[in-house]
Amino acid sequence: FAVTLPAAAARVGQLLTVKVVTTDATKVITVIRAGADTIDGVTAGQTTTTFTTTANLASATFQSDGASKWYLIASNGTVS
């Protein structure tokens, strides 16, 4: 399952939480940046971050800087 974050510039200070609610055995969610935005300082060429967990109901919360970055500010799973 993939989720694309909205453009950070359009979401000044906004928090966005992705929560795993699935019966899929792998429980993998891929969070993709919008355009040239970065996620938690991911460098150019690395366009996604994968949030993986073995537990249902795990989550990851991101916050926009209002310009071009999303920061991972909370997680109760493994982020890579």
Side-chain angles (χ1 to χ4, degrees):
F1 185 74
V3 175
T4 301
L5 295 171
R11 308 286 189 219
V12 179
Q14 182 176 7
L15 296 173
L16 189 139
T17 300
V18 177
K19 187 169 186 169
V20 178
V21 182
T22 181
T23 57
D24 180 0
T26 60
K27 296 178 179 56
V28 175
I29 290 182
T30 302
V31 179
I32 304 167
R33 68 185 182 181
D37 286 356
T38 58
I39 300 173
D40 208 29
V42 175
T43 58
Q46 295 178 319
T47 59
T48 63
T49 185
T50 303
F51 174 67
T52 308
T53 184
T54 57
N56 204 14
L57 304 178
S59 64
T61 300
F62 302 88
Q63 184 170 26
S64 167
D65 71 349
S68 64
K69 294 183 180 94
W70 284 94
Y71 294 101
L72 177 66
I73 60 168
S75 170
N76 66 345
T78 302
V79 176
S80 59

